[in-house]
Amino acid sequence: MPVDNYLGVPLHRPKVAFFEFTACEGCQLQILNNEATLLDFLSLVEVVAFREAMTERSDDYEIAFVEGSITRADEAKRLKEIRKKAKVLVAMGSCACFGGVNQLKNRFNNNKWVKEQVYGKFPVESEEARPLEDVVTVDLNIYGCPIKKEEVEKIVTNLVLGKSVSHPKYPVCMECMANENICLYKMGEPCLGPVTRAGCDAWCPGSRFGCWGCRGPADAANVEQIISIMEEHKFSADTIIDRLECFGGFKKFAGELKKRTAKSKSKKKRAAK
Amino acid sequence: MIFRLINKRELRELFDVLAENRIIGPVQKGTSHDGKALYAFEPVFDFDDLKLDYTSTARPAKRYFLPSHETLCTFSVHENGWEKTVDFNIHEPHVFFGMHACDINALDKLDKVLLESNFPTPYYAAKRKNMFIIGVECTPQPSCFCRSMGTDSAFHGFDMFLTDLGDSYFVEVQSATAFNFLKNIRTREPKEKDHARYMKVVADKNSMFTTSVDTTDLAKILDMEFQSDVWKYWGDRCLSCGTCASVCPTCYCYGVEESVDIDLKGAKKKKHLYSCNLIDFAEVAGGHNFRPESHSRLKYRYYHKHRGFMEEFEESLCVGCGRCSEACLAKITVPEVIASVRSGVKPKGKKGRHGK
Ligand code: SF4
Ligand code: SF4
Ligand code: SF4
Ligand code: SF4
Ligand code: SF4
C-alpha cells in the first residue's frame, strides 16, 4: 500500500518517467540497484516510463529524469518534446549535466577521422556531445558518474514532501577528511577533490584513487589554484588536462590550460631553434 | 601533583591493566611518498602497535569526542503521531594513550565552549566525562609553534603525563583514577637526579622549536589590520576546501540537517562539522551571504582563533599544532599569515591566483 500521507498531511504521488540518451545507463541502474529501498521508492512515486525496468509506458508524467548527453539531432528533438511535457526536468548523471565521458570525443577536432576509426564504413550520425542544458532548460541536476542512489532517494523524498532540494556547495575534501582518509597528495597522487562538488562521500579517494571531478566544480572552486598546486607537485600538463577534461565539468579550465601549454611549447620550440 | 617514575617495561603492564577499556592511541597508518611515517589516533589492541614516539598525527583525536557526523536524534513516525529518541553516542569509556600537550590543551579550550558555557553540549559532555587521558612528551616538528601559543605543556585536562627519560618514564599523576591504576604496576618515587633528568629533557625539547609566531598584541593588531591587502592575497590562494578546520583540534563549528527516511516512517536530525572557509558558512535564510569572498572567510578564521576567542576567554583558540599548515594544499600557514599581517608584506616566492 503506497504511503499517502506524512504526519497527517496528504501526499501527492508524482508521475515520473525515466529517459536515456547517449549514456551507459549506469545511472538508471543505480536506482534499480537499491533492492532494500526500491519498493519504498516506488511507493513514493508513480513510474510511468522506465525502459530499463518495465515494458508498458505512458506519456503522461510530471517529473522527467533524463540520463545521457545529446549527440544527435533526433536526440535534441526528442529532448525538447520531453521538456514540453515535464513540469520538472532533472538532468541525471555527469553525461546529462556536463556531457560526461562522451564529451571526451569533442577533443578530436577532426570528427570525420574519429568516425572512420570507430565505426569504419558504417555511416553513423554523431555530433559533438552536449549536456542537456545546451538544448533545453534544466530544473535540477543530479551530479555524479554514476549518481549516488542515496542522493537520488533523498532528492525524491524531498520533492514529494515539498522540501527544498540542495546540493553540497563545498568540495569533496570535506567528505574525504570526515572519513579520515590520508590525503592522496601525501601519497604522490593528483586529486581534484579540492575543487569538485561533494555529495559522493569521497568515493574515489576512499579507495585511494584521486578524484576525477565527475560531479563538476564546487561553488567556490579555485581551479587555477589547484592547477598551480598540481604543477608544484610535478604532475605533467597532460596529466592535469586529462583529469580536468574527463567528465566535462571543468571543460573551460581544461581548454585554457591546453592553450597555455601549447603556447609555452611553441615558445620553447622557437627558443630551441 | 604527584610525580612517579616507572620503568619502561612496566608500561606494557599499565596498557594491559587499561585494556579492559577501549584504548585509542597513535599508530602508524601509512607511509608518505617521500618515506615519512603517517600517524593517526586509532583503537589499539596490541601494545606493540602503540607508537609513543610518534612525530604528530595528521588528524587530531577529535572524531572520538566531536565526530564529523553525528546523529543527534531520530524520530519514528506512526499513525497516531511521532516519537523522538536521543542518543549521546557513547557506549564505553575511552582511554587516550599518548596525547601530546597541544591536543590536551585543545580539549581544555573546547571545554570552555562546549562544557562551561551557558549552553553545554550534552553530546560532547557525555564523551568528555568518559575519558582517561595519558599525555606523552613530544619532539617539536617543523610546523609546530605551540610554544608561541603557550600550549607546549599541559597543566590540567589529563590523568597522567609521561616524559621519556631513556630507560624510564617520568610520570605526572593528575587524577585519583590515574593514581589507582598505577597501584597495579611497579613505580617508584623520583629522586633529585631524576628531576634533573626530567628538566634536561624538557629544556632540550624547548631548544628544538624552529617555527614561532609573534603573538604580542596580536588581537589589537588584527583589529588594526582588518583592511590589510595581505588578506586578499591569502584569499586568492585559498581553495575554500575546509581542510584546515577538519584537521584542527579546536574547530567545533557545525551544521544541522534534518532528513526524512524514504519509507516516510522515520526522520533524523544530523550534525556535521563545518568550516568557516566554506562558501556558504555565513549564508543565512533568504540566501544572503555575509562572506561571499574567499579572503573574507579566511580572515574570519583568523579572527575567531586569534581575536574573538581572545576577547572572550583571554586566550587564543589555536594551540599551534601545525596540522593546518601540513594539510593545506595551498600552503597557507598560521605563522606566515600572521607574520604578513603584522608586517603588511606578502611572502615572497609564493604565487597567488594567476601567478600574482
Ligand atoms: S585526497 Fe583529494 S579529496 Fe581527499 S583531502 Fe586530499 S585532495 Fe581532498
Ligand atoms: S571522488 Fe570525484 S570522481 Fe570520484 S565519485 Fe566523487 S566526485 Fe566523482
Ligand atoms: S586555508 Fe588551506 S586548508 Fe583552509 S580552506 Fe583554504 S586552502 Fe583549504
Ligand atoms: S589553527 Fe592550525 S595550528 Fe592552530 S590549532 Fe588549529 S590546526 Fe593547529
Ligand atoms: S569559526 Fe572557523 S576557525 Fe572558528 S571554530 Fe569555526 S571553523 Fe574553526
Side-chain angles (χ1 to χ4, degrees):
Chain A
M1 198 31 216
V3 187
D4 58 3
N5 79 86
Y6 180 67
L7 294 174
V9 180
L11 290 181
H12 166 68
R13 240 176 120 219
K15 288 183 179 149
V16 305
F18 290 82
F19 301 98
E20 70 281 323
F21 291 100
T22 304
C24 71
E25 302 193 7
C27 286
Q28 292 185 55
L29 201 61
Q30 279 289 309
I31 293 172
L32 297 177
N33 239 343
N34 205 350
E35 279 142 19
T37 50
L38 187 59
L39 283 178
D40 293 325
F41 178 80
L42 292 176
S43 79
L44 271 189
V45 295
E46 189 182 331
V47 181
V48 300
F50 200 156
R51 194 191 52 77
E52 201 167 296
M54 55 195 257
T55 41
E56 70 268 36
R57 56 178 299 151
S58 143
D59 265 350
D60 175 23
Y61 47 84
E62 297 158 76
I63 308 177
F65 287 90
V66 185
E67 182 190 354
S69 62
I70 302 303
T71 59
R72 293 195 314 259
D74 65 303
E75 286 187 335
K77 194 166 155 247
R78 202 172 129 232
L79 177 62
K80 282 180 191 152
E81 276 158 24
I82 295 171
R83 174 71 271 191
K84 266 187 224 150
K85 287 180 194 141
K87 267 198 214 128
V88 179
L89 189 143
V90 184
M92 190 168 71
S94 300
C95 299
C97 297
F98 310 117
V101 181
N102 308 326
Q103 54 78 45
L104 274 178
K105 72 170 188 170
N106 301 354
R107 69 157 103 174
F108 301 105
N109 307 333
N110 186 352
N111 217 319
K112 203 172 142 232
W113 177 83
V114 178
K115 266 187 211 169
E116 274 169 21
Q117 294 299 312
V118 179
Y119 302 109
K121 288 199 186 86
F122 300 99
V124 171
E125 193 214 339
S126 181
E127 304 162 357
E128 289 218 325
R130 288 181 291 165
L132 304 189
E133 62 175 22
D134 277 13
V135 181
V136 295
T137 308
V138 170
D139 300 306
L140 182 70
N141 286 308
I142 301 183
Y143 303 106
C145 179
I147 53 168
K148 191 115 183 137
K149 54 195 171 191
E150 293 82 0
E151 204 179 17
V152 182
E153 288 176 356
K154 195 169 113 186
I155 288 173
V156 169
T157 309
N158 284 357
L159 281 175
V160 170
L161 293 174
K163 288 178 65 166
S164 63
V165 174
S166 63
H167 294 288
K169 292 182 176 170
Y170 49 80
V172 174
C173 287
M174 272 306 276
E175 297 176 332
C176 189
M177 287 284 111
N179 292 341
E180 302 272 329
N181 296 330
I182 295 174
C183 178
L184 285 155
Y185 281 92
K186 287 249 182 295
M187 315 298 278
E189 301 274 333
C191 179
L192 285 183
V195 289
T196 303
R197 186 183 302 284
C200 62
D201 201 23
W203 218 336
C204 301
S207 323
R208 298 234 166 159
F209 192 65
C211 170
W212 283 76
C214 80
R215 303 173 80 87
D219 271 40
N222 188 346
V223 184
E224 286 99 342
Q225 182 61 23
I226 200 67
I227 292 173
S228 320
I229 289 167
M230 288 202 268
E231 286 167 347
E232 273 167 36
H233 280 79
K234 304 269 182 288
F235 297 117
S236 70
D238 285 346
T239 303
I240 303 170
I241 291 168
D242 275 354
R243 215 158 262 250
L244 288 171
E245 217 174 24
C246 189
F247 288 101
F250 295 92
K251 194 159 51 192
K252 182 178 126 224
F253 301 95
E256 283 165 12
L257 182 59
K258 261 188 189 169
K259 264 190 224 146
R260 245 192 297 156
T261 317
K263 250 193 214 159
S264 78
K265 264 189 197 157
S266 68
K267 232 192 208 168
K268 266 188 206 148
K269 248 194 202 162
R270 254 181 281 141
K273 265 182 201 167
Chain B
M1 180 125 37
I2 298 172
F3 302 112
R4 301 297 293 174
L5 207 71
I6 61 174
N7 194 297
K8 270 208 171 155
R9 269 170 321 198
E10 282 290 310
L11 204 63
R12 186 184 290 271
E13 302 294 322
L14 180 65
F15 183 92
D16 289 342
V17 170
L18 293 168
E20 61 188 64
N21 303 290
R22 192 161 185 239
I23 297 182
I24 314 288
V27 300
Q28 187 174 347
K29 205 179 172 185
T31 309
S32 70
H33 67 101
D34 48 0
K36 286 194 197 108
L38 302 168
Y39 297 101
F41 286 109
E42 298 285 344
V44 192
F45 304 101
D46 183 345
F47 180 73
D48 293 323
D49 291 338
L50 194 66
K51 301 285 177 257
L52 289 181
D53 58 352
Y54 70 107
T55 48
S56 138
T57 55
R59 314 289 312 276
K62 191 161 81 173
R63 71 170 144 141
Y64 300 100
F65 37 84
L66 213 53
S68 57
H69 288 82
E70 184 165 25
T71 300
L72 300 179
C73 58
T74 51
F75 300 88
S76 61
V77 180
H78 43 79
E79 284 199 1
N80 311 316
W82 51 273
E83 267 151 40
K84 178 177 168 183
T85 313
V86 176
D87 185 346
F88 295 148
N89 308 309
I90 173 92
H91 309 292
E92 57 192 332
H94 284 167
V95 172
F96 291 89
F97 208 124
M99 261 195 192
H100 287 163
C102 56
D103 284 342
I104 294 172
N105 280 299
L107 269 166
D108 290 342
K109 288 180 196 288
L110 285 179
D111 288 353
K112 295 208 157 76
V113 185
L114 304 176
L115 276 188
E116 294 152 17
S117 65
N118 289 338
F119 303 99
T121 312
Y123 299 87
Y124 174 80
K127 298 177 189 80
R128 182 71 171 118
K129 302 263 175 211
N130 276 297
M131 272 185 193
F132 182 80
I133 297 176
I134 304 178
V136 68
E137 197 54 278
C138 55
T139 311
Q141 299 301 305
S143 47
C144 297
F145 57 96
C146 54
R147 196 155 166 77
S148 306
M149 308 315 293
T151 48
D152 52 327
S153 57
F155 299 107
H156 55 97
F158 59 89
D159 292 274
M160 53 194 274
F161 201 98
L162 309 172
T163 302
D164 191 337
L165 299 184
D167 54 353
S168 51
Y169 286 105
F170 187 86
V171 192
E172 297 160 55
V173 187
Q174 183 69 273
S175 73
T177 324
F179 184 80
N180 286 329
F181 273 127
L182 283 175
K183 279 186 190 157
N184 294 301
I185 63 164
R186 263 173 305 191
T187 64
R188 72 168 170 83
E189 188 89 22
K191 305 208 174 80
E192 199 48 45
K193 74 169 195 313
D194 300 316
H195 292 172
R197 279 160 80 201
Y198 169 79
M199 285 187 266
K200 166 98 173 56
V201 169
V202 174
D204 285 349
K205 172 191 160 183
N206 290 345
S207 68
M208 286 167 77
F209 285 97
T210 52
T211 305
S212 64
V213 169
D214 183 358
T215 56
T216 326
D217 282 338
L218 184 56
K220 271 186 235 169
I221 290 168
L222 284 171
D223 264 354
M224 287 187 256
E225 299 304 327
F226 193 77
Q227 305 292 356
S228 170
D229 283 345
V230 299
W231 292 117
K232 185 86 191 25
Y233 164 81
W234 293 110
D236 280 351
R237 293 183 64 90
C238 179
L239 295 158
S240 299
C241 66
T243 292
C244 44
S246 297
V247 303
C248 181
T250 60
C251 276
Y252 51 77
C253 286
Y254 64 94
V256 173
E257 194 186 14
E258 286 159 2
S259 64
V260 179
D261 299 346
I262 187 160
D263 61 6
L264 306 186
K265 289 184 184 126
K268 283 184 195 69
K269 196 181 239 184
K270 277 188 174 169
K271 160 184 171 176
H272 61 118
L273 294 188
Y274 224 67
S275 158
C276 54
N277 283 94
L278 301 179
I279 174 85
D280 54 350
F281 182 86
E283 199 176 286
V284 290
H288 179 70
N289 192 341
F290 284 94
R291 287 189 282 276
E293 306 105 345
S294 168
H295 69 89
S296 60
R297 296 192 296 273
L298 183 113
K299 180 156 74 178
Y300 182 86
R301 179 171 162 77
Y302 281 81
Y303 275 72
H304 182 217
K305 292 279 186 209
H306 302 275
R307 193 200 164 283
F309 206 80
M310 197 75 176
E311 195 171 59
E312 185 95 17
F313 300 106
E314 309 269 339
E315 59 182 76
S316 160
L317 183 61
C318 169
V319 294
C321 70
R323 287 190 178 96
C324 56
S325 316
E326 285 290 320
C328 176
L329 290 168
K331 297 200 181 126
I332 300 173
T333 74
V334 177
E336 280 184 280
V337 171
I338 290 184
S340 72
V341 173
R342 294 187 84 98
S343 67
V345 182
K346 298 169 205 162
K348 285 192 199 102
K350 278 198 173 184
K351 276 194 284 178
R353 206 201 288 225
H354 317 303
K356 265 180 265 174

